Amino acid sequence: MQDLELARRVVRLQRCELIATDRPWPFALEHAASIEQHWRKRKSENPIFFDGRIRMLADHTCTGDVLGGSLLETGFKEFLYWRESGEPEAGVRDAFASAVIRTADGGVLLGRQRPGNINTGLSYLPGGFIDANDVDAGGRIDIAASSWREVREETGLGDDVLTQQPGFLATFSGMQLSIGVEYLCQLDAAGVLDRVTAHLAADPKSELAEVVIVHRLRDLDGLAMPAFARLLLQEVLA
């Protein structure tokens, strides 16, 4: 695992070359009993939690404008225990795709999760865990496809109004690695809000409760958000 010298840094990339690995996660094996106890408690507190299979970054290189690395498979309950234990050094990073959706009038779309989700109350860029849907038959992980899937599910926006931009924005923030995919939207902020709000209203089980558009750095004042999201927005709104 690389040292954290890249922590709190945004890096513009041309390519992501990530693969799935079948190596075990020693942390999960070593803490199996505590993980089960923690999961029973958290599941009783929040019945909507689901122990799905996800991918976490086991190693990586960031050379020039190319991010390489491999991602091991684990369960949500193992991830949750690690996260709620303070994300200790355990040979992994929490890596995920983030969608940077730019409106026609220069805004960026943020969502707020419904109660019961792990980011409840926070404003963040649409995104989610890397899972089996993002791994092809050769074991390669398609970050752009992961981002596109989350965009459709969370916002209802599609390729009729969105155009994906080349490259990626990797944001290293502590034990998190957000791999940003940028999209230009044909709609202005009002149009995006109308369309996404209608999408959320049609699905009472949607992950997002609401969305907000930010146009400038001062719009971030007073918003509760993950550290990676604030760092990334400081880059794209500068």
Side-chain angles (χ1 to χ4, degrees):
M1 190 71 178
Q2 273 191 322
D3 188 67
L4 294 180
E5 80 282 356
L6 293 178
R8 297 198 56 76
R9 181 181 177 189
V10 179
V11 182
R12 291 191 174 270
L13 304 169
Q14 289 300 314
R15 302 196 313 278
C16 287
E17 299 176 351
L18 303 174
I19 60 171
T21 177
D22 60 1
R23 78 178 69 170
W25 186 18
F27 177 87
L29 299 176
E30 293 166 7
H31 297 271
S34 296
I35 289 169
E36 289 299 329
Q37 182 179 11
H38 177 262
W39 177 245
R40 287 194 296 271
K41 176 177 182 295
R42 296 293 283 119
K43 181 72 172 175
S44 68
E45 295 169 344
N46 192 346
I48 72 170
F49 275 164
F50 171 70
D51 185 26
R53 305 302 292 175
I54 63 172
R55 292 274 171 179
M56 298 185 73
L57 189 66
D59 59 67
H60 74 276
T61 60
C62 192
T63 306
D65 57 6
V66 179
L67 174 69
S70 63
L71 288 90
L72 58 77
E73 185 181 52
T74 190
F76 175 75
K77 67 181 179 183
E78 285 82 10
F79 164 83
L80 187 66
Y81 176 81
W82 172 77
R83 172 170 162 152
E84 295 187 350
S85 296
E87 299 182 347
E89 172 57 54
V92 296
R93 285 183 191 263
D94 174 17
F96 48 89
S98 296
V100 183
I101 301 173
R102 296 177 178 267
T103 64
D105 54 351
V108 176
L109 174 71
L110 300 177
R112 292 195 184 102
Q113 283 189 343
R114 291 185 185 279
N117 291 283
I118 60 173
N119 289 317
T120 298
L122 299 180
S123 297
Y124 73 106
L125 298 147
F129 291 114
I130 297 169
D131 61 27
N133 294 309
D134 308 316
V135 183
D136 69 16
R140 293 178 295 273
I141 293 171
D142 190 337
I143 288 295
S146 177
S147 172
W148 187 238
R149 173 170 54 84
E150 295 289 343
V151 166
R152 292 198 308 272
E153 291 177 0
E154 294 188 11
T155 72
L157 299 173
D159 56 11
D160 59 323
V161 294
L162 295 180
T163 302
Q164 182 182 328
Q165 302 303 290
F168 302 89
L169 282 167
T171 304
F172 294 85
S173 180
M175 288 297 181
Q176 291 188 311
L177 170 56
S178 158
I179 305 174
V181 180
E182 294 184 274
Y183 302 89
L184 294 184
C185 186
Q186 298 174 15
L187 305 176
D188 63 10
V192 169
L193 287 174
D194 285 346
R195 181 155 165 176
V196 178
T197 299
H199 172 74
L200 299 181
D203 181 8
K205 294 183 179 180
S206 63
E207 187 171 315
L208 298 183
E210 60 180 341
V211 291
V212 62
I213 307 290
V214 294
H215 286 84
R216 55 195 66 83
L217 289 175
R218 66 173 177 268
D219 293 341
L220 306 183
D221 294 345
L223 289 181
M225 62 177 55
F228 85 86
R230 188 173 297 276
L231 183 61
L232 179 53
L233 287 167
Q234 287 170 345
E235 171 77 15
V236 301
L237 294 176

